[in-house]
Amino acid sequence: TSFVIEHHLETLEDGVYEIFEREVIEINNGEDLIFYCNEYEGFTPVDEIIYGESIYHKIVKFYYTRSSYQVSFIRNGGSKISSTDVKYENTLPNTSIPYRDGFTFENWYLDEKQTTQFISMPAYDITLYAHYEEETFAYYFEYETNKDGITILSTTCSQKQIHIPEYIGGLPVNYIGSSTFSRCSSLTSITLPF
């Protein structure tokens, strides 16, 4: 009897699998039928095995989910980012971008000396190190104190991105005036603290 053994690995899209490997084996009458799942780095076999048949042979399908590993962050002066789990070969979620006043976040690195840039999740837990570039364009805020914290009234800026600080003078920034950005002609991105 002819058996086709298929090994399906989960793609980066949850719950979607693709055939990674296929093998055909012949079993003679009287031989024991023992099938084993393979080991793939970054993947965990699913407990369920699926059997099927075609007109030519029997099919055995093994499925493997992507394993998740923990990422810890050394922010190097940037805003707090909690550790998170990331699936093997995936990228970081968008929430993993720190803010550091006076600097623009550039990228995460796998080493403290920042020689190896993070691209995708390896098959083990990692610690990433933030790298920033000092901002070359300055901006300042005009603001007033309200009963709950700070209201930003206006700002001038010449860059495309601006980060609203979480605190000014130890008080939380909790309101933005309606014409705060009216003098920022090249602004394309605003990062808010709330």
Side-chain angles (χ1 to χ4, degrees), residues 10-111:
E10 185 179 27
T11 66
L12 290 173
E13 186 178 336
D14 286 341
V16 176
Y17 294 83
E18 291 181 349
I19 294 176
F20 179 73
E21 194 172 8
R22 179 183 280 147
E23 57 187 314
V24 178
I25 59 172
E26 296 292 330
I27 302 289
N28 297 320
N29 288 338
E31 285 187 84
D32 289 337
L33 295 175
I34 301 175
F35 302 107
Y36 297 99
C37 60
N38 289 343
E39 289 186 21
Y40 298 106
E41 181 179 64
F43 292 88
T44 304
V46 175
D47 290 336
E48 182 181 358
I49 300 169
I50 297 176
Y51 300 95
E53 285 190 44
S54 74
I55 58 173
Y56 302 107
H57 45 258
K58 297 180 185 288
I59 301 170
V60 178
K61 296 180 182 181
F62 290 95
Y63 288 85
Y64 305 80
T65 58
R66 281 184 186 271
S67 300
S68 291
Y69 301 93
Q70 188 174 63
V71 180
S72 300
F73 300 98
I74 303 295
R75 303 177 319 265
N76 293 327
S79 57
K80 182 178 180 181
I81 296 177
S82 299
S83 296
T84 188
D85 289 337
V86 176
K87 285 190 174 188
Y88 174 63
E89 294 182 326
N90 211 343
T91 58
L92 294 175
N94 289 337
T95 56
S96 301
I97 298 175
Y99 165 71
R100 182 176 171 191
D101 195 31
F103 293 82
T104 300
F105 175 74
E106 191 263 324
N107 212 329
W108 289 107
Y109 285 82
L110 292 165
D111 57 317

Side-chain angles (χ1 to χ4, degrees), residues 99 101 139 141 150 152 154-155 161-168 173-176 180-181 187 189-194:
Y99 165 71
D101 195 31
Y139 51 87
F141 299 104
I150 297 290
I152 295 180
S154 68
T155 184
Q161 299 178 350
I162 192 168
H163 298 276
I164 303 298
E166 189 170 357
Y167 294 92
I168 294 177
V173 174
N174 51 16
Y175 296 104
I176 307 290
T180 297
F181 307 105
L187 190 60
S189 172
I190 302 168
T191 303
L192 300 173
F194 42 81

Side-chain angles (χ1 to χ4, degrees), residues 145-150 171-172 174-175:
T145 304
N146 60 53
K147 68 177 185 148
D148 300 320
I150 297 290
L171 296 173
N174 51 16
Y175 296 104

Side-chain angles (χ1 to χ4, degrees), residues 107-170:
N107 212 329
W108 289 107
Y109 285 82
L110 292 165
D111 57 317
E112 193 170 359
K113 293 183 180 182
Q114 300 178 354
T115 59
T116 307
Q117 197 173 62
F118 173 81
I119 296 171
S120 66
M121 190 66 193
Y124 50 86
D125 295 343
I126 59 173
T127 298
L128 295 178
Y129 299 83
H131 177 73
Y132 306 89
E133 295 291 331
E134 191 167 1
E135 291 178 351
T136 55
F137 302 103
Y139 51 87
Y140 69 93
F141 299 104
E142 293 177 17
Y143 59 90
E144 67 183 13
T145 304
N146 60 53
K147 68 177 185 148
D148 300 320
I150 297 290
T151 298
I152 295 180
L153 302 173
S154 68
T155 184
T156 57
C157 56
S158 56
Q159 65 259 38
K160 292 182 179 183
Q161 299 178 350
I162 192 168
H163 298 276
I164 303 298
E166 189 170 357
Y167 294 92
I168 294 177

